[in-house]
Amino acid sequence: MTGRTDWASKEIDQLKSEGRYIPIRTIESAQGAYVRIDGRKMLNLCSNNYLGLANHPEVRKAAIEAIEEFGVGAGAVRSIAGTNTIHMKVERKLAEFKNMESSIVFQGGLLANSGTIPVMVGKDDVVFSEELNHASIIDGVRLSSARRVVYGHLDMEDLESKLKSERNTGKKAMIISDGVFSMDGDIAPLDRITELGEKYDAMVYVDDAHGEGVLGSHGRGIVDHFHLHDRVDLEMGTFSKALGTMGGFSAGSRDLIDLLHQRSRPFLFSSALNPGDTAAVLKSIEILERDDSLVKKLWKNSDRLKSGLNDAGFNTGKSKTPITPVIIGDEKKTLELSSALYKDGVFASPIVFPTVARGAARIRLMPSAVHSDEDIALAVEEFRKIGKSIGVV
Ligand SMILES: Cc1ncc(COP(=O)(O)O)c(C=O)c1O
């Protein structure tokens, strides 16, 4: 090597000395209640595969059939030769599922945010952005060059006072928030946000990555949960979590989505989502539409997991969704807990700064509809036993 990247070694050493270097595990099996890692069967508590659709037989079959019919690659960007009938079907289905006029599919949730926000606002506009918004929203706002005004986490008084004082600093204004916050599992007060948007003439944009398949009737998401159809301007989401596959989308008015077809950079400059993933998404939505038993099972598992951990003395924060943060605080203790669990066959990854604030280190557990009652009981027992042995409860 040239030696010109030796600075990277120093940064790695620094991360290690601060207990912030995260070992990246390689999964040797399909996603499920258990995964194989290093040849061992591990209880999986950290995938976003909320409903188990990532390895659902019908979803797998749909992907395989699409590959047989259309091949593995989309072949081009959507605007040149990459738009396939399957993309059109998913976009219609999503709009119907979300009760929106229209939708557009992207290759990932991150790309949906970075491709949508800069079309909706630009340098003459102002964005009111939640303090704990996902990194992809922050990137999207940066790319837009709009003026960014940050308001406090779930703090509607702060949002209103900033709207009062700053709304007139831009031509268009937009309030943008995660629907469900991925590190704490709490829910944005979208009903209040919507009222404020109406009062101060600001568009409302919500990232429903962790609400999809989890909140609302049959997992229709946060807008449905709050009954806000027709009052939210843009609902963005991802297929990579509850829907079990890959990709993202934005849903809104027909003309707004049409404009995204003309202007959104990931649509124009990055090749389309491949046929297998696209067909898998379609099947996942069809499964949700016809049956909400997976959503119900997810919530049952999450309630049992939280109450078991609370009884064992753990702090699971203020989550209102299946996301279950086990907040330890100290970075090194969190890594110690995670690696002791790992030795015992429980896969529960640590989350440390900069993903969460310093001193707010945690293990974030993601129960799934594919966990059995026994799996949840085992998870609680392992946390209780190891938590005690290392002195965190
Ligand atoms: C709130 C939120 N938005 C967007 C994304 C990005 O989604 P994707 O993984 O599909 O790129 C994530 C995923 O981590 C997320 O949690």
Side-chain angles (χ1 to χ4, degrees):
M1 298 305 292
T2 64
R4 287 191 295 268
T5 57
D6 286 353
W7 55 268
S9 318
K10 291 196 188 100
E11 290 197 18
I12 291 285
D13 290 346
Q14 173 91 18
L15 288 174
K16 286 185 177 161
S17 73
E18 290 171 7
R20 293 199 292 116
Y21 183 85
I22 301 176
I24 294 171
R25 312 280 186 199
T26 305
I27 312 291
E28 297 152 3
S29 65
Q31 290 287 340
Y34 289 81
V35 284
R36 195 172 55 248
I37 310 176
D38 296 332
R40 294 165 63 215
K41 184 181 167 194
M42 310 283 298
L43 178 61
N44 178 17
L45 291 171
C46 35
S47 296
N48 296 322
N49 178 25
Y50 287 111
L51 301 176
L53 293 172
N55 195 29
H56 189 287
E58 283 183 59
V59 180
R60 286 170 61 120
K61 185 162 173 276
I64 291 165
E65 283 172 4
I67 289 173
E68 276 166 0
E69 187 173 358
F70 300 113
V72 292
V77 301
R78 288 284 302 273
S79 54
I80 296 180
T83 296
N84 186 291
T85 49
I86 191 107
H87 295 116
M88 304 308 289
K89 269 195 200 160
V90 169
E91 287 171 345
R92 276 196 299 274
K93 173 59 76 187
L94 261 170
E96 199 185 298
F97 185 63
K98 290 282 178 182
N99 220 332
M100 287 282 202
E101 270 180 26
S102 189
S103 88
I104 177 173
V105 164
F106 292 97
Q107 308 85 334
L110 185 146
L111 289 169
N113 275 330
S114 61
T116 302
I117 300 166
V119 175
M120 294 182 72
V121 284
K123 65 178 174 35
D124 298 329
D125 303 322
V126 57
V127 167
F128 297 85
S129 182
E130 227 281 355
E131 183 185 4
L132 296 189
N133 273 344
H134 188 258
S136 57
I137 295 182
I138 296 169
D139 290 355
V141 174
R142 280 192 188 129
L143 282 170
S144 77
S145 307
R147 201 171 110 68
R148 183 165 68 119
V149 177
V150 176
Y151 66 92
H153 182 51
L154 310 183
D155 188 344
M156 293 299 101
E157 271 178 34
D158 190 34
L159 173 59
E160 177 147 28
S161 92
K162 289 192 166 137
L163 280 162
K164 256 185 205 148
S165 60
E166 313 269 351
R167 166 62 188 91
N168 292 331
T169 60
K171 283 187 186 156
K172 278 182 276 163
M174 183 156 84
I175 308 169
I176 182 159
S177 178
D178 274 19
V180 173
F181 291 86
S182 58
M183 289 301 138
D184 288 299
D186 43 358
I187 302 179
L190 195 61
D191 46 352
R192 282 289 295 135
I193 293 176
T194 306
E195 282 164 18
L196 291 172
E198 286 160 356
K199 185 164 169 192
Y200 291 92
D201 185 28
M203 297 178 284
V204 173
Y205 182 120
V206 66
D207 174 336
D208 201 29
H210 290 274
E212 234 87 68
V214 176
L215 296 177
S217 161
H218 290 237
R220 283 184 166 77
I222 191 162
V223 172
D224 189 81
H225 171 81
F226 282 107
H227 308 293
L228 293 170
H229 306 289
D230 289 332
R231 293 177 63 195
V232 168
D233 299 283
L234 197 290
E235 190 174 354
M236 166 273 160
T238 165
F239 306 141
S240 61
K241 305 190 191 302
L243 297 181
T245 112
M246 186 73 209
F249 73 91
S250 289
S253 75
R254 193 159 287 113
D255 284 348
L256 174 59
I257 301 304
D258 206 17
L259 191 63
L260 289 171
H261 290 138
Q262 302 302 313
R263 297 245 175 96
S264 176
R265 292 171 79 83
F267 189 87
L268 299 172
F269 299 113
S270 181
S271 291
L273 190 67
N274 67 47
D277 286 330
T278 315
V281 175
L282 185 60
K283 182 53 75 181
S284 291
I285 300 169
E286 284 168 4
I287 291 173
L288 277 180
E289 271 182 328
R290 75 167 189 236
D291 174 14
D292 66 351
S293 60
L294 290 174
V295 181
K296 287 191 172 132
K297 180 78 191 310
L298 168 69
W299 279 93
K300 181 174 162 240
N301 281 348
S302 112
D303 291 345
R304 285 168 55 95
L305 180 64
K306 273 191 204 137
S307 63
L309 289 166
N310 293 152
D311 289 348
F314 285 99
N315 170 12
T316 58
K318 45 192 181 323
S319 174
K320 299 266 186 306
T321 61
I323 294 171
T324 306
V326 182
I327 301 166
I328 306 298
D330 180 73
E331 265 91 22
K332 285 192 175 146
K333 275 283 173 208
T334 307
L335 295 185
E336 191 184 341
L337 175 59
S338 171
S339 55
L341 286 162
Y342 187 79
K343 278 196 196 108
D344 251 16
V346 178
F347 182 36
S349 288
I351 300 200
V352 296
F353 177 81
T355 310
V356 292
R358 272 186 212 279
R362 67 201 53 199
I363 290 178
R364 184 187 57 168
L365 302 182
M366 304 297 251
S368 160
V370 287
H371 286 119
S372 66
D373 290 355
E374 293 72 33
D375 298 334
I376 300 293
L378 174 65
V380 170
E381 198 34 50
E382 284 291 327
F383 267 84
R384 186 196 306 275
K385 185 181 84 187
I386 295 170
K388 259 194 193 145
S389 78
I390 67 167
V392 293
V393 282

